[in-house]
Amino acid sequence: MTEKVFEFINTNNLIEKKDRILIGVSGGADSVCLMHLLAEVYKDTDIKLFVVHVHHGIRDVEADKDEAFVKGLCDKLKIPFFAYHYDVKAIAAMEGLSEEETGRKVRYEAFFDAAKKNNCNKVAVAHNKNDNAETILLNLFRGSGIKGLTGIKPLSTMVTEFGCITVIRPLLPVTRKEIEGYLAERNISYRTDSTNLENIYTRNKIRNIIMDYAAKEINNNVIEHITGAGANLYEAYNFIEKNINDRFCAIVKEKQGIYEYDVNILSKEDIIIQKGIIRKILEQVAGNLKDIEAGHVNDILALGSKQVGKKLNLPYGMIAQKKYGIISIGKSSNLVSNRHIEKPEEEDIKIPGRTYLESYDIYIETEIIEDKKNKTFPKNSCMKWFDYDKIENTLKLRTRKTGDYLQINSQGGTKKLKDYFIDLKVPKEERDQVLLVADGSHILWILGYGGRISEKYKITDQTKTILSMKIKNAKEK
């Protein structure tokens, strides 16, 4: 087994010259094996080893004995020993976390602190092949994506609230049975955590019930098969991630913490690339993907077909917002602070022709239709049709002005644009950014927020000349 682990370490560059490695040792078979194996392999080298033990304050006397046991092993092997004490039950109750999650949190807090104090550049933990298989199943049951089904990695950089930790897992290529065999051959004792035998924790249920049943009743090589499937998925995941990263760079633009993409361009990608790009944006904005669910990604994709101005509230204070053919994603504070940066200039609309609005990166395309026979006028939020002969002034593409109004019924009733925005609950800070097509003070078309057009200009049976107007993102061909 020593040769297998040593080869795994070298293949994955887990340990290099002059490394200072902190080993997490609970006193159980796995961590005791890891400590002895590293001490054996790297004896009389420039690799320096340290041990940290975390007392969770749960098993009282039994936990005290575990600590004393690990300290005794370290004294025998002449490895510096550091113990950390926590009241996991109290912390879990105070922070509203499970004891499992809290235990993991305090362990990494201890790892980071001990590594920092001893100038250690890596932390070694004793995850083995069984742990890997259990993790894959656990993630599957929790509804994980492909990444979660790829299993535990030999080396990873963990970003915690306490800092960054480089974690290595030298025992990943060996099973728990091999570990116990290694210890038995060398007559090395270890402690058994009684809570590992209790099926009150999720992982214990998978380990003691599901995995045990699968090995006995389905296939006794279940560990190898599950971890093998994880390895295959990891290859597929890397291929997908490469393509996601390539398309992310081509499609997504970032400015002042706000990420934007063209809905039309993204929609042409395969759905797995679309979802991957969205998740990558969310990870960039939030800093991690914890609490980001598949539903959040699907809601953002669905936002692309919604009307202009629609937005989603997301975890970590993020907002996704629909603009004119564009989705913007960022922290709410960034979106608010950037909302008024570029107030568009007023533009005369060319009829017929194309009018570009640089600050929004869109253009209005217009056409005169003299004969409406055999013409269909489907409902479309980005394209509208008007009675051209009723237009009195040069049409303008602009934002609101004092005195703006629109006709709301066929009897000639009007409403101030300000009141219309209030009725529609358009946020006050967004009203100056809503684009309008205006005939003097009369608003023909409100671009977004329902896409309302004035009743005065609607096509009727008496209409002779039609003006078609279409709004397009400037990137559209």
Side-chain angles (χ1 to χ4, degrees):
M1 192 187 90
T2 302
E3 291 76 15
K4 182 189 289 189
V5 172
F6 186 63
E7 181 181 353
F8 182 77
I9 289 172
N10 290 336
T11 300
N12 292 280
N13 299 314
L14 301 187
I15 298 177
E16 300 166 302
K17 289 181 179 181
K18 296 184 179 181
D19 274 347
R20 296 173 66 86
I21 300 171
L22 182 72
I23 311 170
V25 182
S26 66
D30 300 344
S31 60
V32 168
C33 173
L34 176 63
M35 178 175 62
H36 272 274
L37 193 146
L38 294 183
E40 174 188 339
V41 171
Y42 295 102
K43 184 180 180 181
D44 300 325
T45 70
D46 60 2
I47 306 299
K48 301 299 181 185
L49 303 178
F50 304 80
V51 163
V52 62
H53 174 83
V54 180
H55 189 306
H56 296 84
I58 293 177
R59 294 177 294 118
D60 300 326
V61 175
E62 188 179 347
D64 293 339
K65 290 181 179 180
D66 288 348
E67 181 179 325
F69 173 76
V70 176
K71 186 179 186 307
L73 290 178
C74 290
D75 290 343
K76 186 177 179 180
L77 293 169
K78 294 182 174 55
I79 299 175
F81 169 81
F82 304 90
Y84 286 76
H85 290 244
Y86 298 91
D87 187 342
V88 167
K89 286 186 177 180
I91 296 171
M94 183 173 62
E95 299 187 4
L97 303 173
S98 69
E99 288 183 15
E100 280 183 286
E101 189 174 356
T102 304
R104 182 176 184 277
K105 177 183 175 181
V106 299
R107 281 195 296 277
Y108 280 96
E109 179 181 352
F111 291 167
F112 179 75
D113 185 72
K116 186 177 181 181
K117 287 179 178 177
N118 293 282
N119 198 28
C120 296
N121 62 320
K122 292 174 183 174
V123 175
V125 294
H127 290 133
N128 57 55
K129 188 171 283 190
N130 292 58
D131 294 318
N132 195 10
E134 293 160 11
T135 297
I136 292 171
L137 283 186
L138 182 61
N139 288 340
L140 176 65
F141 297 153
R142 286 175 171 170
S144 170
I146 294 177
K147 185 177 181 180
L149 302 181
T150 62
I152 304 172
K153 302 302 169 288
L155 182 147
S156 61
T157 300
M158 297 190 65
V159 180
T160 74
E161 59 188 281
F162 313 108
C164 294
I165 303 174
T166 298
V167 180
I168 61 172
R169 303 175 177 88
L171 297 187
L172 270 185
V174 297
T175 63
R176 194 165 289 125
K177 185 176 180 180
E178 290 176 285
I179 288 169
E180 291 171 355
Y182 172 92
L183 296 173
E185 286 175 9
R186 289 160 176 76
N187 198 29
I188 300 171
S189 60
Y190 56 89
R191 300 278 296 171
T192 300
D193 185 342
S194 60
T195 61
N196 288 339
L197 305 176
E198 299 173 359
N199 295 326
I200 57 174
Y201 299 117
T202 304
R203 185 173 286 275
N204 286 1
K205 292 174 183 177
I206 292 175
R207 176 181 300 162
N208 301 332
I209 300 174
I210 296 174
M211 296 296 290
D212 185 61
Y213 179 86
K216 290 177 179 176
E217 303 294 334
I218 300 175
N219 191 306
N220 61 9
N221 210 22
V222 65
I223 300 294
E224 295 291 341
H225 291 168
I226 294 174
T227 54
N232 290 337
L233 284 171
Y234 185 57
E235 293 176 356
Y237 172 77
N238 283 337
F239 174 78
I240 293 169
E241 280 296 292
K242 181 184 181 303
N243 282 276
I244 288 172
N245 290 334
D246 289 346
R247 299 309 297 148
F248 178 91
C249 293
I251 294 173
V252 179
K253 293 184 177 181
E254 185 271 336
K255 184 178 181 181
Q256 297 179 311
I258 298 173
Y259 291 76
E260 294 187 336
Y261 64 85
D262 185 297
V263 173
N264 187 50
I265 293 174
L266 184 69
S267 66
K268 290 180 170 61
E269 300 293 330
D270 188 274
I271 188 62
I272 197 167
I273 302 297
Q274 292 184 43
K275 290 181 176 180
I277 287 174
I278 299 299
R279 286 178 66 84
K280 190 171 180 65
I281 292 174
L282 295 177
E283 184 175 26
Q284 295 282 345
V285 176
N288 65 83
L289 286 173
K290 189 175 184 293
D291 299 323
I292 301 299
E293 301 171 357
H296 296 130
V297 175
N298 291 333
D299 287 345
I300 293 172
L301 288 175
L303 190 62
S305 61
K306 305 293 185 181
Q307 67 187 46
V308 174
K310 283 288 187 181
K311 60 184 178 182
L312 291 170
N313 292 309
L314 300 161
Y316 303 103
M318 294 187 291
I319 288 179
Q321 187 169 14
K322 172 74 179 291
K323 295 183 179 178
Y324 300 92
I326 297 290
I327 298 293
S328 296
I329 302 174
K331 290 290 183 71
S332 57
S333 56
N334 286 342
L335 286 170
V336 169
S337 64
N338 283 277
R339 188 173 287 144
H340 300 286
I341 288 175
E342 296 176 331
K343 186 174 176 64
E345 296 294 325
E346 186 175 292
E347 295 283 349
D348 290 347
I349 296 177
K350 298 180 181 67
I351 302 176
R354 181 179 290 182
T355 306
Y356 179 60
L357 196 61
E358 183 178 6
S359 55
Y360 281 73
D361 203 24
I362 63 168
Y363 60 79
I364 290 279
E365 189 177 75
T366 63
E367 181 183 358
I368 298 295
I369 302 171
E370 298 288 353
D371 183 5
K372 66 177 182 179
K373 292 180 181 179
N374 301 318
K375 291 282 185 182
T376 57
F377 304 98
K379 291 183 179 180
N380 188 317
S381 62
C382 293
M383 188 169 188
K384 300 295 181 183
W385 294 264
F386 304 92
D387 190 323
Y388 184 59
D389 296 323
K390 293 180 180 178
I391 296 171
E392 300 174 5
N393 305 285
T394 299
L395 294 184
K396 305 282 188 179
L397 185 60
R398 61 172 175 82
T399 53
R400 68 174 180 164
K401 291 183 177 180
T402 302
D404 283 347
Y405 69 94
L406 66 160
Q407 185 174 315
I408 58 174
N409 57 46
S410 57
Q411 289 74 44
T414 62
K415 176 175 283 192
K416 291 180 180 179
L417 181 65
K418 176 182 177 181
D419 294 335
Y420 176 80
F421 281 161
I422 291 171
D423 292 345
L424 206 61
K425 295 182 172 60
V426 178
K428 186 178 293 186
E429 67 272 13
E430 295 179 8
R431 295 172 192 170
D432 284 334
Q433 298 297 301
V434 178
L435 279 178
L436 310 167
V437 174
D439 178 8
S441 294
H442 196 145
I443 304 304
L444 276 77
W445 184 11
I446 300 171
L447 280 65
Y449 290 100
R452 180 70 183 263
I453 67 172
S454 176
E455 291 290 328
K456 174 182 175 178
Y457 303 93
K458 285 187 175 180
I459 297 170
T460 67
D461 291 340
Q462 286 73 46
T463 298
K464 296 179 180 178
T465 306
I466 295 171
L467 170 65
S468 75
M469 303 185 71
K470 185 173 185 179
I471 183 171
K472 287 187 176 183
N473 185 280
K475 298 180 184 65
E476 289 186 49
K477 295 181 179 179

